[in-house]
Amino acid sequence: MPEPLISAERVPAATVQDGPPALAVSKLWKVFGPRADKIVGTPLAELPRPELLERTGCVAAVRDISFTVAPTEVFVVMGLSGSGKSTLVRCLTRLVEPTSGDVLIEGEDLRAADQRRLRELRRHRFAMVFQHFGLLPHRRVLDNVAYGLEIRGVAKAERLRRAGEVLDLVGLSGYADHFPDQLSGGMQQRVGLGRALAVDPRILFFDEPFSALDPLIRRDMQNEVLRLHHEVGKTMVFITHDLHEALRLGDRILIMRDGAAVQIGRPDEVVGAPADDYVRDFVADVPKSHVLTIRWVMRPVRADDPLDGPELGADVVVRDAVRAVLSSAAPVKVVHDGELVGMVDDEAILRVIVAEEP
Amino acid sequence: MTTLSAGAVRRAARLPRSWLFGGVVAVWVLLWIPLHGQDTLALSTSELTSLHERLNDLRDAINNTRGSSPVFSAFFDVIREAVDALTVFLQSLISQPAYGRPVPLIGWLGVVVVATLAAYAAGNLRVAVLTAAGFTSFGLLGYWQQSMDTLALTVAAVLICLVIGIPLGIWAGLSDRLHRVLTPVLDFMQTMPTFVYLAPLTLFFLIGPASGVIATLIYAMPPVIRITAHGIRTVAFSSVEAGTSLGATKWQLLRTVRVPLAKRTIVLGVNQTVMCALSMVTIAALIDAPGLGQVVLRALQTLDVGTAFRAGLAIVIMAIVLDRVTTAARDRVEARYRLGPKARGRRRIVLAGLGVAAAVALYLSYTYVWAAFFPGPAGTGVVGGQVAAGVTDASDWVQLHLGAVTDAIRNAISYGLLNPLQALIAQSPWYLVSAVVLALAWIVAGPRIVPTVAVCLGLLVATGLWQEAMVTLAATLVATVIVMALGIAVGVWMGRSDRADALIRPTLDAAQVMPAFVYLVPFLGLFGASRFTAIVAAVVFAAPVAIKLVADGVRGVPATVVEAATSSGSSAWQVVTKVQLPLARQSVTLAANQGLIYVLSMVVVGGLVGAGALGYLVVAGFSQSDLYGKGLAAGVAVVLLGVLLDRTTQAAARRMDAGTRRGRDQ
């Protein structure tokens, strides 16, 4: 049986908002090029990319992006190469300086931080996992994992102890004395993951961490991230160009195109209600039954509906509902918060599974 | 530029460049027939122009103010005395009698054991053994003290180079602005033929060991700065970014990421600097720097091939030892942190043992005469005499029995290539040559180069040494043509065949570590003193660089492209001429550029063995007081020729590259 695209184990994001969101981004712009700061807020900013480049020599890598991420949420940013997603995640940690807009980390204005404060934040609040790992080839795996703590000034014995724990957590027990180039790509990225986790950050940023890995390893690593999220419950911002990865990992997904946000929503919203043709094209090949919940396929209750069928929650994924619906003679009742919100019959289910349409 | 000539250029640009080039040369030859011998600006050796006399006066004036001028007491003398203190200290350690003793502080035994220890610590057991054998051979050849003088000067220069060069290189690696400022300065320092700045240096730093070390600094510093900066710049960005994202400060990034990752490259820079330093220390014999260079120089001047070979052999051995040890040090940067605990323990034991041995040897060599003076007959050493005699005999035998062969080679090149070219270039009126050079430079390198070339030509006329410069140019061009023929033939072969590469590359590497000086010796033995000897030495000196550049270029052609050409049925010849050479043509142009610079510097050194022209004048300037100014002007003329050739070939390479790109865009 193929693995579900969305793991049933996923920890739901905190829905109750006590305190500020983990990350709040509003009207964020990043323009590369000469006199880049003179573009935002003028009519020039509205130009499409090629025209802007022609007129000003500037490239708007990130255009007017706003979103918030709740504590413990997994927020995925998805887009093709050149869509600005890597620049976006670097703006969130100021590895790239944003041109305008606000980034609030747990309510603190990141752009107002001076260098010292920024370093403090990087050392304690958030950490990043990189596409090309960025490991130090002259250090053992253990020392690579301990690197963030070393930078922070943690004493050697303590940081090595902590790094040892993290190695166990990321499944690299026994590899402490190896050097990065003695490990496979997947294992190297586990080291990168361990290095980020070792500093015990509250937010983890992932910049296409698995796109350099082959598909089977990638699947393993995605499970690893889900497992870690389950165990340590960190807020995660995950960049990817792989829609399947986005759907598997994300509580919510931001789809970017040419630097701008096209759609923000839960996986089933992105698949069930694409914002435009671009997204529709994108999700065309996704097996709908793996993503959509029965909320998307139910029909309104009719007066003549028999009400003796089984009940299912509105958030059950279609594929998981198949057996219940097909084996019942009567249509299945869809219940949300104790109320009957719709009915699902055999035809609706089969339409999704066989014809791939909601 | 007027519209008329711009239009003419545009029309002309439609013709292939090679046609234009050939046309200009044809016109030149036609004009040469009626005009040759006129306005050649010839000047006999003893004749001086007013510029040369003024330079002589300038030297006298500077010598007279030396004692009183604050520029000297506050600047030049300070530098010289500081360098001198370091040099004298190192010399008194290993080469010169000091502190009231008839011998240096450390005798031969101490030096050999300490050098072996250092080689093991920096490298491995193999280079340690090589070092022990190499150092012992200096004594066996009978040149212990001279070798130690050369070593002391080299070490002094290298120490100063590294203390200044590595921090500067790291800084230039971090700062784009410094890098931009430094690059042209380093370019200039490196394109200048080594020979040339010796004379001006003596004006400010006098002659002797200290000025020898200062001249060496100028020559040997650029590689370590350049390569260190390159190493720092090419550290994987992802590692730096990862460090930044974890909150590393700039200093932490430098200490934990940039320098460790660049370390291997930095040690490569150290290797280059050491080799340059050794090469220059031997040449600095011309300004009275002590050591093996002196022996070679004197032997060259008296045409004593045997002695020149014996001392040259010591230089070569020193070069090989220093190169192998620094190369092993570079490889150890990788290997060191991979050593298991067991290997590390074993290494510590060997190091401790060698340390004790070194302490004992130091004590012995300080106390006992047998460990201080290298045993063996004074002057000739244990085997030195036989080596010299054997080489002299061999040389005599070759000149006697193979004279026909060597003469045939010499005459073929002299009459077939050198004489006609020299007649054309040096016997044409100066204005004709200037016009031709300007036109050719425009054709191969574009209009932007014209002002530079015009200025160089004008200044060449002003030096009063036009005809000498043209003779040198002819020799340089002949040698470069041969170098490029060799470079392309052997380079393509190496680029296409792994076996050829594995076979030839070590020889080329070895040839490249040899100091320029040494090349003259065997060819002096074969061909006697003549301009031809200088040309052959220049070819052998420059060929390794050119061959390696072409080979790397051919190797760099993507395998898929070659595969595609082969699969569409190209013959090997077609693959070479239609795919590999065109794609490698940037490397080929670079090879021509480097070949020219190397050849030029060697053609000048050839002045020592009868090459005449500028080289002879530079050498004469050192030894004859009257000719000082003229020698200085000759040095300037060499630099002008170098700048002219270097700028033109570089511009041609850039233009070729841009042309390819434009073609691709369309």
Side-chain angles (χ1 to χ4, degrees):
Chain A
M1 177 169 146
E3 237 172 309
L5 273 170
I6 300 175
S7 162
E9 278 192 310
R10 198 170 55 201
V11 181
T15 41
V16 200
Q17 290 277 331
D18 44 345
L23 181 68
V25 177
S26 68
K27 300 192 184 330
L28 191 72
W29 282 82
K30 176 63 198 181
V31 182
F32 290 106
R35 295 159 58 82
D37 48 331
K38 299 282 186 284
I39 308 258
V40 181
T42 67
L44 282 175
E46 305 301 319
L47 294 174
R49 267 189 179 178
E51 215 169 308
L52 180 66
L53 182 64
E54 180 88 358
R55 295 262 296 268
T56 63
C58 289
V59 176
V62 175
R63 310 168 69 121
D64 200 19
I65 298 260
S66 306
F67 62 89
T68 60
V69 180
T72 75
E73 184 177 5
V74 179
F75 188 84
V76 174
V77 178
M78 202 214 60
L80 299 181
S81 58
S83 62
K85 55 193 190 306
S86 281
T87 308
L88 173 63
V89 75
R90 280 169 174 71
C91 285
L92 303 183
T93 56
R94 278 181 61 191
L95 285 174
V96 167
E97 207 60 56
T99 308
S100 75
D102 290 319
V103 178
L104 302 183
I105 300 253
E106 295 175 333
E108 179 175 349
D109 185 356
L110 187 72
R111 293 195 64 205
D114 61 7
Q115 281 302 317
R116 179 182 294 270
R117 179 65 191 150
L118 183 60
R119 272 205 302 276
E120 280 303 302
L121 287 170
R122 283 176 178 165
R123 287 176 182 186
H124 298 277
R125 277 309 169 75
F126 47 80
M128 193 155 164
V129 179
F130 294 89
Q131 180 178 6
H132 298 296
F133 321 142
L135 302 179
L136 300 176
H138 63 293
R139 290 175 168 230
R140 293 179 303 160
V141 165
L142 189 67
D143 297 321
N144 262 293
V145 172
Y147 182 69
L149 297 167
E150 180 186 337
I151 292 295
R152 211 196 254 184
V154 178
K156 187 162 185 180
E158 167 61 17
R159 69 177 186 243
L160 291 185
R161 189 191 60 74
R162 168 85 185 126
E165 287 173 13
V166 173
L167 279 186
D168 294 341
L169 185 65
V170 296
L172 284 176
S173 323
Y175 289 97
D177 288 332
H178 284 60
F179 283 88
D181 60 5
Q182 296 168 322
L183 304 182
S184 67
M187 286 162 85
Q188 288 189 35
Q189 193 55 292
R190 282 171 195 262
V191 179
L193 193 55
R195 180 176 62 190
L197 284 172
V199 297
D200 197 23
R202 285 197 242 166
I203 306 180
L204 273 169
F205 292 102
F206 293 85
D207 178 27
E208 298 199 42
F210 308 141
S211 52
L213 306 180
D214 63 51
L216 285 177
I217 306 283
R218 195 182 309 165
R219 171 65 61 96
D220 273 356
M221 292 300 290
Q222 287 162 1
N223 291 337
E224 192 74 15
V225 166
L226 289 171
R227 182 179 68 77
L228 284 169
H229 186 243
H230 192 64
E231 283 177 24
V232 297
K234 309 255 180 229
T235 310
M236 296 182 174
V237 175
F238 197 105
I239 309 293
T240 181
H241 63 242
D242 177 353
L243 181 66
H244 289 264
E245 191 166 84
L247 294 173
R248 283 194 79 200
L249 298 178
D251 289 317
R252 284 188 303 145
I253 299 171
L254 162 66
I255 297 181
M256 282 181 80
R257 182 190 187 187
D258 288 352
V262 184
Q263 184 170 12
I264 303 181
R266 293 193 314 272
D268 57 325
E269 288 173 337
V270 171
V271 174
D276 62 6
D277 288 346
Y278 180 72
V279 182
R280 191 165 298 123
D281 260 7
F282 235 116
V283 299
D285 292 335
V286 174
K288 304 275 187 302
S289 61
H290 293 201
V291 181
L292 295 183
T293 56
I294 53 175
R295 182 196 295 278
W296 292 92
V297 298
M298 68 190 188
R299 60 172 170 75
V301 185
R302 285 194 296 261
D304 58 344
D305 277 332
L307 295 174
D308 54 347
E311 284 182 10
L312 281 175
D315 289 335
V316 173
V317 176
V318 168
R319 202 183 50 176
D320 298 338
V322 170
R323 188 172 293 272
V325 175
L326 293 186
S327 62
S328 153
V332 169
K333 293 181 287 182
V334 181
V335 183
H336 185 64
D337 287 345
E339 278 183 40
L340 182 62
V341 293
M343 304 298 283
V344 176
D345 48 27
D346 294 0
E347 192 200 340
I349 288 284
L350 289 173
R351 205 167 59 230
V352 175
I353 292 184
V354 180
E356 276 291 316
E357 53 193 30
Chain B
M1 183 111 345
T2 63
T3 42
L4 182 73
S5 66
V9 170
R10 221 171 297 126
R11 265 195 307 284
R14 274 184 227 129
L15 285 171
R17 258 184 247 160
S18 50
W19 286 33
L20 279 176
F21 196 95
V24 170
V25 174
V27 171
W28 183 14
V29 173
L30 288 177
L31 286 176
W32 178 81
I33 295 169
L35 291 175
H36 76 268
Q38 297 174 22
D39 296 317
T40 56
L41 305 185
L43 193 71
S44 74
T45 309
S46 55
E47 257 182 295
L48 299 181
T49 68
S50 61
L51 174 77
H52 305 156
E53 278 160 5
R54 271 207 303 273
L55 286 172
N56 279 343
D57 295 345
L58 179 71
R59 171 201 48 186
D60 296 341
I62 289 179
N63 280 339
N64 290 335
T65 57
R66 191 183 303 281
S68 53
S69 162
V71 180
F72 279 96
S73 58
F75 183 69
F76 292 119
D77 288 353
V78 175
I79 295 177
R80 187 170 58 85
E81 275 156 25
V83 172
D84 200 44
L86 176 64
T87 313
V88 167
F89 169 70
L90 287 169
Q91 280 183 304
S92 61
L93 271 188
I94 59 174
S95 66
Q96 296 291 337
Y99 308 111
R101 291 155 52 86
V103 288
L105 286 181
I106 306 175
W108 72 271
L109 187 66
V111 173
V112 170
V113 180
V114 169
T116 308
L117 169 69
Y120 183 74
N124 52 41
L125 195 61
R126 241 177 59 200
V127 295
V129 172
L130 178 74
T131 306
F135 272 59
T136 312
S137 74
F138 301 147
L140 294 178
L141 285 168
Y143 288 129
W144 179 260
Q145 192 190 356
Q146 288 88 337
S147 303
M148 288 307 105
D149 269 330
T150 296
L151 187 67
L153 262 61
T154 308
V155 169
V158 168
L159 282 180
I160 302 173
C161 279
L162 300 188
V163 166
I164 301 175
I166 291 182
L168 201 60
I170 290 175
W171 189 10
L174 297 174
S175 150
D176 284 338
R177 190 184 300 167
L178 181 67
H179 194 245
R180 264 199 306 279
V181 173
L182 224 47
T183 303
V185 177
L186 297 180
D187 278 346
F188 184 70
M189 279 161 88
Q190 283 195 305
T191 42
M192 215 156 44
T194 52
F195 231 42
V196 165
Y197 44 75
L198 290 177
L201 269 181
T202 59
L203 268 185
F204 303 105
F205 297 108
L206 302 172
I207 58 170
S211 53
V213 171
I214 292 170
T216 306
L217 288 182
I218 298 175
Y219 181 63
M221 186 102 68
V224 71
I225 298 178
R226 208 185 269 273
I227 296 175
T228 300
H230 174 74
I232 294 287
R233 268 168 196 278
T234 48
V235 165
F237 180 67
S238 61
S239 297
V240 176
E241 196 180 38
T244 315
S245 83
L246 288 165
T249 59
K250 277 191 180 135
W251 172 246
Q252 282 176 324
L253 276 182
L254 192 63
R255 196 172 51 78
T256 60
V257 181
R258 288 205 164 99
V259 169
L261 294 195
K263 200 163 161 196
R264 207 180 123 84
T265 316
I266 295 175
V267 180
L268 173 71
V270 174
N271 166 278
Q272 295 288 301
T273 286
V274 169
M275 301 328 290
C276 288
L278 177 61
S279 168
M280 193 65 192
V281 161
T282 55
I283 291 178
L286 281 166
I287 53 172
D288 219 22
L292 293 166
Q294 289 266 357
V295 183
V296 178
L297 183 63
R298 243 175 288 130
L300 285 179
Q301 280 162 348
T302 54
L303 301 185
D304 179 356
V305 176
T307 305
F309 187 88
R310 178 156 69 112
L313 188 61
I315 296 176
V316 169
I317 290 170
M318 192 178 295
I320 290 173
V321 168
L322 292 178
D323 180 54
R324 290 292 98 201
V325 171
T326 43
T327 305
R330 189 189 69 193
D331 295 339
R332 236 183 87 64
V333 170
E334 291 278 292
R336 197 180 59 199
Y337 50 78
R338 315 233 145 187
L339 283 183
K342 205 187 267 176
R344 213 172 287 146
R346 218 177 306 133
R347 215 180 131 73
R348 283 212 190 102
I349 293 170
V350 178
L351 272 177
L354 275 172
V356 172
V360 172
L362 282 176
Y363 171 76
L364 291 176
S365 73
Y366 181 80
T367 316
Y368 296 103
V369 172
W370 63 265
F373 280 118
F374 200 92
T380 56
V382 178
V383 297
Q386 288 96 305
V387 169
V391 168
T392 310
D393 291 346
S395 166
D396 289 346
W397 186 89
V398 165
Q399 287 187 1
L400 190 67
H401 291 91
L402 298 183
V405 180
T406 54
D407 280 355
I409 298 174
R410 185 166 66 192
N411 291 342
I413 293 190
S414 292
Y415 292 109
L417 210 53
L418 187 54
N419 287 352
L421 192 66
Q422 186 171 321
L424 181 63
I425 294 180
Q427 294 301 320
S428 292
W430 68 271
Y431 48 82
L432 180 59
V433 179
S434 298
V436 168
V437 170
L438 281 170
L440 294 183
W442 186 332
I443 291 167
V444 298
R448 284 243 207 91
I449 198 68
V450 170
T452 314
V453 174
V455 169
C456 285
L457 291 169
L459 290 174
L460 269 178
V461 174
T463 58
L465 299 169
W466 175 264
Q467 197 178 31
E468 272 83 358
M470 291 304 110
V471 173
T472 300
L473 180 63
T476 305
L477 291 179
V478 168
T480 307
V481 166
I482 304 175
V483 164
M484 283 316 289
L486 270 174
I488 289 177
V490 182
V492 167
W493 184 35
M494 279 172 64
R496 289 172 55 86
S497 152
D498 286 335
R499 193 188 294 173
D501 196 87
L503 203 69
I504 301 173
R505 196 171 283 268
T507 319
L508 298 181
D509 288 341
Q512 274 189 300
V513 305
M514 263 24 124
F517 232 34
V518 174
Y519 281 93
L520 291 174
V521 176
F523 299 108
L524 186 65
L526 279 176
F527 300 108
S530 73
R531 61 183 176 163
F532 184 71
T533 302
I535 287 180
V536 178
V539 168
V540 177
F541 180 59
V545 183
I547 292 173
K548 273 163 88 171
L549 281 169
V550 174
D552 291 344
V554 171
R555 269 184 183 269
V557 174
T560 49
V561 180
V562 177
E563 223 168 53
T566 314
S567 76
S568 56
S570 311
S571 66
W573 177 251
Q574 283 170 323
V575 171
V576 170
T577 54
K578 290 188 192 301
V579 178
Q580 287 177 317
L581 276 180
L583 283 182
R585 86 177 152 176
Q586 230 190 336
S587 304
V588 176
T589 342
L590 184 62
N593 171 278
Q594 292 294 297
L596 271 171
I597 300 301
Y598 272 64
V599 163
L600 182 64
S601 77
M602 196 65 189
V603 163
V604 178
V605 179
L608 286 172
V609 291
L614 293 180
Y616 173 75
L617 290 175
V618 172
V619 176
F622 290 117
S623 50
Q624 297 172 45
S625 175
D626 295 347
L627 291 180
Y628 182 86
K630 198 169 181 182
L632 212 55
V636 173
V638 173
V639 173
L640 289 170
L641 275 182
V643 171
L644 195 157
L645 294 171
D646 179 53
R647 294 290 114 185
T648 310
T649 45
Q650 281 203 18
R654 269 200 302 278
R655 190 176 188 216
M656 221 175 247
D657 191 38
T660 325
R661 206 163 294 144
R662 212 173 317 129
R664 204 161 44 221
D665 283 350
Q666 286 162 1

